Amino acid sequence: MDSALITPTELKTLSDADLAVIIDTRDPESFAAGHIPGAVNMHDIFTFLATSDASGMAALKEKFAAEFGAAGLDGEKTAVIYEAAMDGGFGQSCRGFYLLSFLGYPKVKVLHGGFAAWTADALPVSTAMVAPTPAGFAIDEAAGAIMMDADDMKAAIDDPQAVILDVRDIDEWIGTSSSPYGVDFCPRKGRIPGAVWIEWYRMMKPSAHGKMMKSREEVLAECATVGITPDTPVKLYCFKGARASNTFLALKEAGIKDIAIYFGSWNEWSRDMSLPIEDGLPFGA
């Protein structure tokens, strides 16, 4: 299987041959201070909050198809997305990978180790702004199967074959905080009923260049702790689909076949009082 992770050296080769569109997901200030030469800045890959209803999904498609096209993606060039470090931006580069996968873009990579790995390899850094040649690409509607709405997640609660995997930080899982934006940012704290938990950090481990994704075998070992095998349908959620996207990429690299994200995640689910939650400590602790 062709890996979706690319090393800094591989990216430099691709970029030198003018075969890549490099997308930096960090905040504009970090980007302006220094970035991979030729990169364009798209921080809203991380910040945009989507609703999972039909109009929300249509808006998401329209917005990002236009933005990625404006960045120069034409269906031929490889999109390479990066953040500060794999564990340093809540999975924002992986959120970009997921959004492009959702649109059906054929060639998407994530810079393994992010900007930290690039600079650790002493590769060039630029402060120059580029004006990409706008392009566009066809959206593959069938690729949208990796996106879940609230109804899909309700169905997953009642599906004995599926595993609902919560990958939020510990304080969100045990219900002492509602989100990374603040303890009471959402009106309710807790979990989607029946969910199991692997904190998203567990898909990575330290290396000389910062946190890197674990190997296929290591990721499968983590998954086995909650009953996930390569054939298990996995339904991911976090707060807004970024940390879940990091896990999505890790599971995909490990060969898990059926993975979807409830992109509205806790930000949406907790605000709809008709939707069930489990609160308090998990497992009756």
Side-chain angles (χ1 to χ4, degrees):
M1 185 182 76
D2 187 32
S3 176
L5 296 167
I6 188 171
T7 67
T9 309
E10 289 167 341
L11 172 54
K12 181 147 192 333
T13 302
L14 204 63
S15 180
D16 288 348
D18 196 28
L19 296 173
V21 171
I22 305 171
I23 297 167
D24 183 319
T25 62
R26 298 174 302 155
D27 64 81
E29 295 75 22
S30 300
F31 177 78
H35 51 261
I36 295 174
V40 295
N41 188 211
M42 283 178 63
H43 187 51
D44 58 357
I45 282 173
F46 177 56
T47 57
F48 187 78
L49 290 172
T51 55
S52 75
D53 57 12
S55 62
M57 285 296 107
L60 183 74
K61 268 187 186 167
E62 186 181 339
K63 172 185 170 62
F64 283 105
E67 277 198 42
F68 285 126
L73 287 176
D74 56 7
E76 292 297 322
K77 289 192 172 179
T78 300
V80 182
I81 311 179
Y82 73 92
E83 57 189 292
M86 294 311 288
D87 66 336
F90 285 96
Q92 58 191 247
S93 61
C94 302
R95 198 179 200 246
F97 172 84
Y98 175 78
L99 286 169
L100 277 167
S101 299
F102 164 65
L103 294 171
Y105 196 78
K107 302 174 184 175
V108 195
K109 304 273 188 187
V110 168
L111 177 59
H112 200 190
F115 190 62
W118 179 270
T119 55
D121 278 350
L123 290 166
V125 171
S126 172
T127 54
M129 301 294 176
V130 295
T133 304
F137 57 91
I139 294 174
D140 177 2
E141 296 297 335
I146 60 172
M147 178 73 76
M148 299 170 66
D149 62 16
D151 285 337
D152 295 328
M153 187 54 94
K154 277 198 286 189
I157 294 172
D158 297 322
D159 181 355
Q161 304 305 312
V163 170
I164 299 171
L165 182 58
D166 183 327
V167 301
R168 295 173 301 162
D169 291 17
I170 181 69
D171 55 348
E172 294 161 87
W173 169 248
I174 65 171
T176 57
S177 176
S178 72
S179 87
Y181 288 86
V183 170
D184 296 312
F185 184 81
C186 296
R188 298 190 289 174
K189 304 179 184 80
R191 301 160 298 284
I192 293 177
V196 297
W197 178 66
I198 300 177
E199 196 170 32
W200 70 290
Y201 293 112
R202 277 171 53 191
M203 295 301 159
M204 297 168 284
K205 67 178 185 180
S207 80
H209 285 183
K211 289 284 179 70
M212 296 287 190
M213 288 289 187
K214 290 180 173 175
S215 70
R216 175 182 186 273
E217 292 77 13
E218 289 165 334
V219 169
L220 290 176
E222 294 287 2
C223 289
T225 66
V226 294
I228 293 171
T229 74
D231 297 314
T232 306
V234 180
K235 314 299 183 184
L236 289 166
Y237 79 96
C238 58
F239 169 70
K240 64 174 182 183
R243 290 168 292 178
S245 294
N246 178 284
T247 303
F248 176 87
L249 179 56
L251 300 191
K252 205 171 167 57
E253 289 284 299
I256 291 173
K257 302 179 188 78
D258 182 356
I259 319 158
I261 296 180
Y262 170 45
F263 205 64
S265 280
W266 193 251
N267 182 56
E268 178 177 79
W269 190 272
S270 65
R271 297 180 194 283
D272 182 342
M273 297 302 164
S274 72
L275 294 172
I277 68 164
E278 288 175 0
D279 55 11
L281 288 172
F283 310 125

